[in-house]
Amino acid sequence: MISASSNMKKKSYCPYSKFRVGAALLCEDGTIITGCNVENASYGLSICAERTALTKAVSEGHRRFKAIAVASDLKTSFIVPCGACRQFLIEFGADWDVYMTKPDGTFDVKKTGELLPNGFVPESLEEERVSHMA
Ligand SMILES: O=c1ccn([C@H]2C[C@H](O)[C@@H](CO)O2)c(=O)[nH]1
Ligand SMILES: [Zn+2]
């Protein structure tokens, strides 16, 4: 998975930031789905590698994940998912693994729920609410 995420950096479309990111998602059935960041001339529309991998996976029918590995070219820091990706990751559970890697193959690993403590999750929408006028 770590080498798959590192390989995906080659596919990164990042003409603006020049910051290559690759991700490899391990589905519960053993399938590995990869993704890279895809930037846009309208900068804010850029999508991260993690969300690319997740949307690819979900659109292929996968919803249960064991882990995701993320790779960048940063030499001294492990790449960490941005806030938007943390929210996307926790949508599919708070208890699966995020491997944040360096180009030398070393990694830090944290649970999705550790990366987004007190997150707003699907169950949050099921809690009792006060009534309101339409
Ligand atoms: O975990 C991360 C962090 C950043 N990026 C992308 C977004 C943008 O294209 C570039 C610089 O922020 O890196 C990712 O894909 N994943
Ligand atoms: Zn992100």
Side-chain angles (χ1 to χ4, degrees):
M1 260 176 78
I2 291 178
S3 63
S5 67
S6 181
N7 254 324
M8 272 309 284
K9 293 190 297 186
K10 296 176 200 154
K11 298 270 171 56
S12 166
Y13 176 71
C14 57
Y16 309 107
S17 71
K18 315 265 196 266
F19 192 90
R20 303 187 310 165
V21 185
L25 188 57
L26 176 63
C27 306
E28 205 145 270
D29 68 0
T31 310
I32 290 181
I33 307 258
T34 52
C36 64
N37 55 329
V38 181
E39 299 187 342
N40 192 275
S42 177
Y43 296 171
L45 295 183
S46 301
I47 184 167
C48 298
E50 298 92 318
R51 277 176 290 148
T52 301
L54 275 167
T55 52
K56 278 178 68 181
V58 172
S59 59
E60 295 298 329
H62 303 281
R63 292 185 183 181
R64 297 166 70 88
F65 307 112
K66 283 186 177 159
I68 187 169
V70 191
S72 81
D73 295 314
L74 291 176
K75 264 190 189 163
T76 54
S77 297
F78 300 112
I79 180 69
V80 291
C82 78
C85 288
R86 292 176 194 215
Q87 182 70 36
F88 238 70
L89 291 163
I90 210 170
E91 178 73 14
F92 300 98
D95 194 32
W96 54 290
D97 295 319
V98 182
Y99 286 82
M100 298 162 281
T101 76
K102 280 195 257 190
D104 66 4
T106 58
F107 60 83
D108 184 19
V109 59
K110 285 197 163 68
K111 295 287 182 189
T112 51
E114 287 181 85
L115 289 175
L116 192 63
N118 204 22
F120 188 76
V121 291
E123 297 74 45
S124 308
L125 293 170
E126 304 307 324
E127 288 174 25
E128 194 180 358
R129 283 174 276 162
V130 297
S131 59
H132 65 87
M133 305 287 280

